[in-house]
Amino acid sequence: MAEMTIEQQRALALARARQKAAEVANPAAPQTGEELRSMIYSQLDAQREAAKPKPHPNRETGNQKADFGSVYTDDMLFGLPGKAAAGVNALIRAPFTDKSVGDEYNTIRGQYQNARANYKEEHPIANAAASIGGAVHGGATVNRLAGSTVERAAPQVAQAFSNSYLGRMAGDAISGTAQGALSAYGHDENIGKGALIGGAAGLAARPVTSLVGGAISAAGSMLGFGNNTRAQNAVAEALRRSGHSADDVADDLTRAAQQGQPEYMVADSLGNSGQRMLSGVARSPGDMRQQIAEQLQQRQAGQGRRIQNALVEGFGTPQTQDQTETALTALRRADADVNYPAARAAAGTVDPSAAIARADEFLGTAGSLPRTNIANDSVEGAVNRARSLLTDGNNIISDFDTAFRAKVELDSMIENGNPTIQGRLRPIRDELDRALERSSDLYANARNTFRRQSQDIEAANVGREASMRGRVEDTIPRFQAMTRPEQQASFRAGYVDPLIETVQSTPGTMTNKARPLISDATQAEFPAFAAPGQGPQLMERIGREQRMFETANQALGGSRTADNLADATEMAGFDPTMIGIAGNALTGNFRSAGMQALQSGVNAIQGRNQGTRDMIARMLLQSSPTQARAELAAAVRKGETLTRAQQAIVNALIGAGSTAYSR
């Protein structure tokens, strides 16, 4: 017999010891050594056979059968229709068997679950594909239905979820929780555990896809390749945050160009989202830094000229106040040179008796000579002088020319006198004026024309005063009381003149010359005082100038730290963020250090290298409406494609995770 192994020797010794103990209790036990060896070998063979893996016992499936289509449909519908069908079948079959409805339901569901288990063992790859595909299909359907329902019922909530990355993650977690709970319920598993697994899968799905996609972009970024897709996606995101469409931005640029502001660009139209994105590029290393700075500085240097043009065109005043007054005065003189000689030629005798009587009423000397030794600067002196223009005590004037000269002198005395003197002289002047009117039919036309033209000239000073002081509750009614177009035009000339003076005299290339024109007063007065039909356009142009300054200030103003670090990067070839991170860490500012490190990591993951940033900058600096429309529309389409692809991957991860427990 072959030599025994150590294992067999140990087994033989143990068996002999057991044999001696068993001989007493069992006389039929093996007695000889050969019988003992045979028994030992049989036991060892049985132990080895028992240790071998056994095939899964056949499961009871009845007439149930699982295939790719049934698995796909089952996971697409979260197992709910199958569960309902089993319940209906149990209700129908139970009365014809000795089982209860519940027992019959358990039998039917168990048979189908066994059929799925058999299919999974026999076709593991096909089962996984069908299960994941069905889960993605069902999950996408649930997401669309839930999203449209929430958007209709609570649009602000839907917007809040979609506006941020964390919000979208929260939405994914909610969707995963719902899918996990539905799938667990449909497959008769623990609902709480299924919901927990689905929620965890939903929460992790989007970061996983971002990290995978970011890793690919980061590889290109490390090699220095610009990623046009990433650039388009970034601009599309800025467009979405602005609340505008590509057509809205193009129309905005078109209006700006038509209104004399062709420098207006995409970054301006997008508002804060475009300005902040351009600022990020301008403060990072790259070829576009200098172009951005030069373009914004050059544009800002022309702000004064553009604002002046906007004011001149908005108020319809191509001439200054002095030029307007000079022109109006010359017109008044020319008309007076024609009108008054005609009135003089047609005049008869003038009777100033009523005017003299008004003077005598005040002086108390009716019928006698006026008193002497009256001070010339007193009220009595002024009235006495007015009376002396009309009579010397014995004779009174009667010819038109002398009476008219007296009336002109009275006008001058009233204009230069104090309120008390003005109040006493006006009745005298008015009576003399009526006497002149009675003496000549043409005098009234000459006088009225001269008076209107004088009011037109004076309106320029009224407008200037309104521009420099006064409340809108007074200035606007004062302007609205001027019913003649000539008077309103003169008011506008006086009103806009100080504004243009301020724009022209404000120094500095990067000074915001639009700021003084944006106040509560100007917001009310500009539309009220502007030339007919020019108010809305004037306000748009000033608003754009403010927006363009904000863009330049965001990109070029503020702290120079970021610019200095970007310069150091280009000179020394190292990452400036590492200096900032180390400096903040050494000074104990761990929060800033952490934020800088996080931002650096995000930029690397997103592939925001120099090439990509330059692509973003070129799109944001675009001012051609046609080109901007094409580029933004392409960015939106690319962003939608990426979003759909990412959402499909997210749905796949959510679906796979939420149905994993039930499968």
Side-chain angles (χ1 to χ4, degrees):
M1 182 174 295
E3 183 178 355
M4 291 190 298
T5 64
I6 296 176
E7 180 184 9
Q8 291 172 338
Q9 291 175 3
R10 290 177 178 173
L12 179 60
L14 180 61
R16 285 174 176 171
R18 290 177 177 173
Q19 182 185 16
K20 291 180 180 180
E23 286 177 354
V24 177
N26 184 12
Q31 300 296 321
T32 65
E34 189 62 31
E35 292 175 346
L36 185 59
R37 290 191 187 92
S38 177
M39 181 187 69
I40 292 172
Y41 291 149
S42 298
Q43 291 175 350
L44 290 174
D45 291 339
Q47 292 174 359
R48 292 192 187 96
E49 188 66 23
K52 291 181 180 179
K54 298 295 187 296
H56 196 282
N58 291 330
R59 297 179 174 87
E60 175 62 36
T61 62
N63 59 357
Q64 299 278 2
K65 186 176 73 170
D67 55 18
F68 186 92
S70 65
V71 173
Y72 187 99
T73 304
D74 184 62
D75 280 343
M76 179 183 71
L77 301 175
F78 302 103
L80 297 176
K83 188 172 186 177
V88 173
N89 287 334
L91 287 172
I92 296 173
R93 291 169 53 178
F96 303 99
T97 67
D98 58 352
K99 296 181 180 180
S100 66
V101 175
D103 292 341
E104 190 67 27
Y105 171 80
N106 291 333
T107 299
I108 296 171
R109 286 291 288 165
Q111 288 175 350
Y112 177 69
Q113 290 171 350
N114 289 338
R116 277 205 61 173
N118 286 338
Y119 181 76
K120 179 179 180 180
E121 290 182 357
E122 295 170 3
H123 309 283
I125 297 177
N127 178 77
S131 183
I132 293 175
V136 172
H137 190 170
T141 303
V142 169
N143 285 342
R144 284 196 299 270
L145 292 175
S148 61
T149 301
V150 173
E151 187 171 353
R152 287 193 299 269
Q156 294 180 344
V157 175
Q159 186 70 19
F161 273 103
S162 63
N163 272 348
S164 67
Y165 191 86
L166 290 178
R168 292 190 287 274
M169 283 181 60
D172 295 338
I174 294 173
S175 174
T177 300
Q179 293 181 42
L182 285 173
S183 183
Y185 175 76
H187 294 96
D188 294 317
E189 301 293 346
N190 186 287
I191 295 176
K193 188 173 182 180
L196 183 62
I197 293 175
L203 189 64
R206 195 169 296 272
V208 169
T209 60
S210 298
L211 287 172
V212 172
I216 298 174
S217 297
S221 176
M222 293 175 185
L223 296 175
F225 298 130
N227 190 322
N228 187 58
T229 298
R230 286 285 173 179
Q232 288 181 313
N233 197 33
V235 174
E237 179 67 12
L239 182 65
R240 184 191 66 79
R241 291 175 179 172
S242 72
H244 300 312
S245 66
D247 289 338
D248 293 336
V249 174
D251 292 343
D252 196 14
L253 298 183
T254 300
R255 287 196 305 275
Q258 292 172 345
Q259 295 174 5
Q261 295 167 308
E263 303 88 350
Y264 195 70
M265 60 182 61
V266 171
D268 304 313
S269 184
L270 294 181
N272 183 260
S273 62
Q275 293 167 347
R276 296 304 301 165
M277 187 168 288
L278 184 64
S279 174
V281 179
R283 296 176 184 276
S284 301
D287 296 336
M288 291 299 294
R289 285 182 64 207
Q290 181 173 348
Q291 180 176 336
I292 293 172
E294 291 178 351
Q295 187 167 338
L296 293 179
Q297 288 171 349
Q298 181 179 3
R299 184 178 74 171
Q300 193 61 27
Q303 186 191 53
R305 171 185 52 79
R306 294 192 302 271
I307 291 178
Q308 179 174 335
N309 291 339
L311 292 172
V312 168
E313 295 172 11
F315 288 99
T317 54
Q319 293 183 323
T320 66
Q321 179 182 351
D322 286 345
Q323 292 170 339
T324 300
E325 289 179 338
T326 300
L328 290 176
T329 301
L331 176 63
R332 183 182 65 178
R333 183 182 303 111
D335 287 344
D337 290 343
V338 173
N339 294 333
Y340 280 107
R344 184 182 301 111
T349 302
V350 178
D351 181 10
S353 300
I356 296 172
R358 295 303 297 268
D360 289 343
E361 289 176 3
F362 173 74
L363 294 173
T365 57
S368 62
L369 293 176
R371 292 176 293 177
T372 58
N373 67 9
I374 300 176
N376 291 333
D377 58 350
S378 66
V379 176
E380 290 83 355
V383 174
N384 189 36
R385 183 169 181 276
R387 187 179 187 281
S388 67
L389 294 173
L390 306 176
T391 180
D392 60 1
N394 296 316
N395 303 299
I396 61 174
I397 62 173
S398 59
D399 65 289
F400 183 88
D401 287 344
T402 304
F404 180 72
R405 285 195 298 271
K407 188 262 181 186
V408 172
E409 182 65 22
L410 285 173
D411 286 336
S412 177
M413 293 172 64
I414 292 172
E415 181 179 354
N416 297 320
N418 60 50
T420 303
I421 292 177
Q422 291 174 348
R424 294 300 180 184
L425 294 183
R426 281 197 184 100
I428 302 172
R429 189 272 315 273
D430 293 343
E431 289 292 348
L432 180 60
D433 192 58
R434 281 189 284 270
L436 289 168
E437 187 176 345
R438 287 191 297 268
S439 71
S440 174
D441 295 337
L442 298 180
Y443 172 76
N445 175 65
R447 178 200 62 197
N448 293 340
T449 300
F450 188 90
R451 183 176 296 169
R452 286 195 303 270
Q453 292 172 333
S454 298
Q455 290 173 347
D456 294 343
I457 297 171
E458 178 59 25
N461 289 325
V462 176
R464 187 178 190 87
E465 182 179 0
S467 177
M468 302 177 68
R469 65 183 62 86
R471 295 174 53 176
V472 296
E473 293 85 357
D474 297 326
T475 58
I476 294 178
R478 192 176 299 139
F479 173 80
Q480 292 172 340
M482 300 177 180
T483 57
R484 295 192 314 280
E486 299 82 3
Q487 193 176 10
Q488 291 180 348
S490 179
F491 178 96
R492 294 189 188 101
Y495 180 83
V496 77
D497 222 43
L499 303 179
I500 295 177
E501 289 174 7
T502 301
V503 170
Q504 291 179 343
S505 62
T506 301
T509 302
M510 293 301 295
T511 303
N512 183 15
K513 299 180 181 181
R515 182 65 190 88
L517 306 179
I518 300 176
S519 66
D520 291 342
T522 58
Q523 293 297 309
E525 290 179 344
F526 278 16
F529 298 161
Q534 293 295 316
Q537 177 175 304
L538 173 62
M539 302 308 295
E540 284 184 16
R541 295 175 74 172
I542 294 175
R544 284 196 203 95
E545 291 300 333
Q546 176 66 22
R547 179 73 65 84
M548 286 191 280
F549 170 79
E550 291 171 354
T551 300
N553 189 53
Q554 290 272 10
L556 307 178
S559 173
R560 313 309 299 176
T561 302
D563 294 331
N564 294 335
L565 291 174
D567 293 337
T569 301
E570 293 180 332
M571 292 297 294
F574 55 80
D575 185 358
T577 58
M578 300 309 298
I579 297 178
I581 293 170
N584 284 320
L586 290 174
T587 57
N589 192 354
F590 298 106
R591 180 179 179 276
S592 296
M595 292 298 293
Q596 284 185 283
L598 178 61
Q599 184 61 51
S600 179
V602 168
N603 287 338
I605 290 175
Q606 293 182 341
R608 298 282 179 85
N609 63 345
Q610 175 183 327
T612 305
R613 291 194 299 269
D614 290 350
M615 294 175 184
I616 293 173
R618 279 188 282 270
M619 284 188 276
L620 294 176
L621 292 175
Q622 185 60 252
S623 58
S624 167
T626 303
Q627 191 68 19
R629 189 192 306 272
E631 291 180 356
L632 291 176
V636 170
R637 287 194 299 270
K638 180 66 71 174
E640 290 175 347
T641 300
L642 287 174
T643 300
R644 285 194 297 268
Q646 185 186 38
Q647 190 60 51
I649 297 173
V650 168
N651 286 339
L653 292 175
I654 293 175
S658 63
T659 58
Y661 176 60
S662 63
R663 291 197 304 272

